[in-house]
């Protein structure tokens, strides 16, 4: 799973220059023209491609390798993995603030934009370390601080972005669209990760400088990705909540797109969409919350430490590990479109249950791996291919079923609460895992993998009671 994926804002007191909204801005009760939807979906796909380049430099194997090169302990490594999940606690606040904005695009620009710019500070820190102005301990601390604040800013904008996409993508096409979108992102990862790994490993100034170059390029691409959001149809959150909450169009934006496409509009806003006055009275959402939280805890007991196991315990070169990650991305790429079509046909819950069992036992397949030719050239590549293919289904269906369960009114708040709960449980899992890995006797990581497998299987039980809304 990409640490995610897995795969960021300024404080609200800062003055931020006014940037024009996208050329098309609609109200939720407007019928979105087909051409506008097509343009928005293409822009979102381009955004995901560029964002995947940003993610490979600011997370995943390359950032993990940086900490290994700096001599960080497993506890620090665990903190690196837990911070992006723990800061999800701020998502309800971000959702609250976003629902009081007037533009999803403007809000995304103010959040993710500044969060991505913060990584330039780490580029400066790496340059300073190369000149002897900063020691490795200080650079580790700076790295953790950048991860913390960039993810805090990102947490303020994630729920708003997800609600934005949920309003744009027709309900019955979500599986295929997100399958295609994620496939494009994984194709980019497949191509770029080995290249980035080679740059880091063979840069003439050393791996530290090599990572600094890769990070700088990643930030530039990340900012370009945000620019693609300009071409997505904009949504006014206040109008969205007014229309679906009170059915009084007086607060709807006066500028409405006139062209209609009834087929698309009905697929986006089905007439029987459920709305609930209280999140805590929505039993279906609470069941999903229980599953999602416990699943995240179980997964993060082990997932953040697979790379550590290869880089530290097996002492593999980072170029090998990036190649394995490319195999994983390739498997995800090939399977995402298939999973998307299958999810549209049979639903997301059956896939989550069946594939979840396979993902649950995957940590057990790490047992017995050692440094020999068979494991390095056959077993590890096959294992990463299996992980990529199965996690493509889990990530896609978790996202789709969450979009289906959350009602349109105050939609981003539902997403934020789910992310916050999963963030806390995921951070708890990573923290527990890091202490087990550091303070147990030899074989602590392998014991951790067994424990994670048991927890993953138990986490699937709530799915038996989950009711997936109609996809028609």
């Amino acid at each position: 799973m990409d640490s995610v994926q897995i795969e960021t804002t300024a404080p609200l007191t800062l003055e931020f220059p006014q940037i024009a909204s996208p050329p098309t801005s609609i109200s939720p009760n407007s019928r979105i023209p087909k051409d506008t939807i097509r343009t928005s979906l293409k822009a979102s796909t381009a955004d995901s491609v560029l964002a995947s380049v940003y993610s490979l430099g600011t997370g995943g194997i390359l950032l993990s390798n940086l900490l290994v090169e700096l001599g960080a302990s497993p506890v620090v490594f665990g903190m690196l993995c837990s911070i992006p999940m723990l800061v999800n606690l701020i998502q309800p606040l971000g959702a609250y603030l976003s629902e009081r904005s007037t533009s999803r695009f403007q809000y995304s620009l103010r959040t993710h934009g500044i969060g991505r710019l913060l990584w330039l500070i780490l580029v400066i820190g790496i340059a300073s370390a190369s000149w002897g102005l900063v020691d490795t301990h200080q650079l580790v601390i700076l790295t953790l601080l950048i991860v913390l604040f960039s993810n805090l800013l990102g947490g303020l904008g994630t729920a708003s972005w997800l609600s934005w996409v949920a309003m744009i993508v027709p309900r019955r096409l979500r599986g295929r669209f997100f399958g295609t979108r994620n496939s494009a992102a994984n194709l980019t990862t497949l191509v770029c990760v080995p290249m980035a790994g080679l740059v880091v490993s063979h840069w003439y100034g050393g791996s530290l400088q090599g990572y600094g170059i890769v990070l700088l390029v990643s930030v530039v691409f990340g900012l370009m990705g945000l620019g693609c959001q300009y071409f997505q149809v904009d949504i006014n959150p206040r109008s969205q909540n007014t229309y679906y909450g009170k059915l009084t169009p007086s607060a709807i934006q006066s500028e409405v797109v006139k062209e209609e496409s009834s087929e698309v509009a009905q697929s986006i806003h089905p007439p029987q969409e459920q709305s609930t006055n209280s999140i805590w009275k929505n039993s279906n959402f609470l069941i999903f919350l229980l599953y999602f939280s416990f699943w995240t805890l179980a997964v993060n007991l082990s997932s953040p430490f697979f790379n550590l196991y290869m880089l530290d315990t097996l002492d593999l070169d980072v170029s090998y590990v990036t190649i394995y990650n490319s195999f994983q991305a390739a498997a995800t790429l090939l399977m995402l479109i298939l999973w998307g079509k299958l999810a549209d046909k049979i639903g997301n819950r059956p896939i989550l249950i069946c594939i979840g069992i396979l993902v649950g036992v995957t940590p057990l397949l790490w047992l017995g791996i050692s440094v020999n030719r068979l494991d390095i050239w056959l077993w590890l590549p096959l294992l990463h291919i299996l992980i990529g293919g199965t996690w493509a289904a889990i990530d896609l269906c978790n996202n789709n079923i969450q979009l289906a369960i959350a009602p349109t009114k105050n939609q981003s708040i539902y997403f934020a609460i789910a992310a916050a709960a999963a963030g806390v449980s995921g951070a708890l899992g990573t923290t527990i895992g890091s202490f087990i890995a550091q303070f147990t006797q030899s074989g602590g990581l392998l014991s951790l993998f067994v424990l994670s497998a048991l927890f993953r299987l138990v986490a699937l039980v709530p799915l038996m009671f989950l009711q997936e809304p109609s996809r028609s």
Side-chain angles (χ1 to χ4, degrees):
M1 178 179 65
D2 193 2
S3 60
V4 67
Q5 156 184 29
I6 143 128
E7 323 64 8
T8 333
T9 174
L12 298 181
T13 54
L14 291 180
E15 293 293 333
F16 199 90
Q18 184 67 24
I19 299 178
S21 296
T24 305
S25 181
I26 69 161
S27 311
N29 66 333
S30 303
R31 298 178 186 269
I32 307 178
K34 287 184 178 180
D35 290 341
T36 302
I37 288 183
R38 291 192 188 100
T39 301
S40 298
L41 300 188
K42 290 178 181 178
S44 181
T45 302
D47 177 24
S48 72
V49 169
L50 297 172
S52 66
V53 180
Y54 165 77
S55 298
L56 72 86
T58 58
I61 181 60
L62 296 182
L63 189 59
S64 300
N65 183 70
L66 172 67
L67 289 185
V68 172
E69 291 287 336
L70 296 177
S73 67
V75 171
V76 173
F77 194 89
M79 291 175 62
L80 174 71
C81 299
S82 64
I83 285 174
M85 294 177 286
L86 190 59
V87 297
N88 283 328
L89 281 171
I90 205 173
Q91 283 208 29
L93 173 61
Y96 175 84
L97 295 174
S98 72
E99 295 307 308
R100 279 148 184 77
S101 67
T102 57
S103 168
R104 294 289 188 196
F105 171 71
Q106 291 284 341
Y107 189 80
S108 177
L109 202 62
R110 285 174 167 84
T111 53
H112 297 286
I114 293 185
R116 294 181 181 186
L117 284 172
L118 285 179
W119 286 95
L120 294 177
I121 299 176
L122 183 57
V123 174
I124 297 173
I126 291 174
S128 300
S130 301
W131 298 329
L133 302 177
V134 176
D135 60 33
T136 57
H137 178 68
Q138 292 172 328
L139 194 57
V140 168
I141 295 176
L142 178 62
T143 301
L144 292 178
L145 288 175
I146 296 299
V147 170
L148 173 62
F149 286 106
S150 65
N151 280 279
L152 277 173
L153 296 171
L156 289 174
T158 300
S160 176
W161 176 87
L162 189 56
S163 181
W164 185 11
V165 174
M167 293 297 297
I168 294 175
V169 183
R171 181 183 294 268
R172 64 181 181 180
L173 300 178
R174 282 174 182 168
R176 276 171 283 179
F177 168 70
F178 285 111
T180 303
R181 184 182 189 273
N182 294 348
S183 292
N186 278 277
L187 176 60
T188 305
T189 301
L190 173 65
V191 174
C192 294
V193 166
M195 296 172 57
L198 290 174
V199 170
V200 172
S201 297
H202 299 91
W203 187 259
Y204 68 91
S207 60
L208 186 62
Q209 289 186 13
Y211 174 73
I213 297 297
V214 171
L215 180 60
L216 178 60
V217 174
S218 298
V219 172
V220 172
F221 275 81
L223 296 175
M224 291 169 59
L226 289 178
C228 293
Q229 295 182 5
Y230 176 82
F231 300 97
Q232 295 178 198
V233 58
D234 201 6
I235 298 292
N236 185 337
R238 294 184 181 180
S239 301
Q240 176 181 339
N241 294 331
T242 300
Y243 177 71
Y244 285 100
K246 300 178 181 178
L247 297 178
T248 55
S250 59
I252 303 295
Q253 291 175 327
S254 58
E255 184 177 356
V256 176
V257 176
K258 300 298 183 181
E259 184 180 350
E260 296 186 351
S261 174
S262 59
E263 179 181 351
V264 175
Q266 290 174 5
S267 66
I268 296 178
H269 313 305
Q272 296 180 349
E273 181 169 303
Q274 179 186 6
S275 178
T276 180
N277 293 327
S278 173
I279 291 176
W280 308 115
K281 294 180 181 179
N282 189 332
S283 59
N284 208 35
F285 176 75
L286 294 180
I287 292 174
F288 172 79
L289 201 62
L290 176 63
Y291 149 73
F292 197 45
S293 300
F294 196 53
W295 174 260
T296 307
L297 184 148
V299 165
N300 285 281
L301 279 173
S302 60
S303 287
F305 303 99
F306 293 143
N307 286 335
L308 177 63
Y309 184 69
M310 291 185 288
L311 292 170
D312 188 24
T313 304
L314 300 181
D315 197 25
L316 296 178
D317 187 83
V318 65
S319 59
Y320 283 98
V321 183
T322 53
I323 291 174
Y324 298 151
N325 279 263
S326 295
F327 287 144
Q328 182 174 330
T332 303
L333 170 67
L334 294 175
M335 295 301 296
L336 265 172
I337 297 178
L338 172 64
W339 292 129
K341 293 180 179 179
L342 189 61
D344 287 337
K345 184 177 181 180
I346 69 173
N348 298 282
R349 191 176 74 99
I351 298 177
L352 286 175
I353 294 174
C354 296
I355 303 301
I357 295 174
L358 184 56
V359 172
V361 301
T362 298
L364 301 178
L365 302 179
W366 287 86
L367 305 180
I369 292 180
S370 59
V371 185
N372 58 63
R373 290 185 179 273
L374 181 63
D375 288 348
I376 291 176
W377 296 106
L378 180 62
W379 188 244
L380 281 173
L382 289 177
L383 182 56
H384 280 80
I385 290 173
L386 174 65
I387 292 173
T390 53
W391 268 108
I394 298 297
D395 286 339
L396 178 68
C397 293
N398 274 337
N399 181 70
N400 287 347
I401 205 167
Q402 183 179 183
L403 292 177
I405 289 174
T408 300
K409 182 183 178 183
N410 294 322
Q411 194 175 55
S412 64
I413 296 178
Y414 280 78
F415 298 150
I417 291 176
V424 172
S425 59
L428 179 61
T430 302
T431 302
I432 294 173
S434 65
F435 279 98
I436 293 176
Q438 178 161 343
F439 298 113
T440 56
Q441 298 294 327
S442 178
L445 279 177
L446 298 181
S447 301
L448 190 62
F449 296 164
V450 174
L451 182 64
S452 176
L454 295 175
F455 274 54
R456 291 183 186 198
L457 294 176
V458 174
L460 296 173
V461 174
L463 283 176
M464 305 295 182
F465 306 96
L466 184 68
Q467 299 293 323
E468 183 175 359
S470 173
R471 301 177 305 282
S472 59

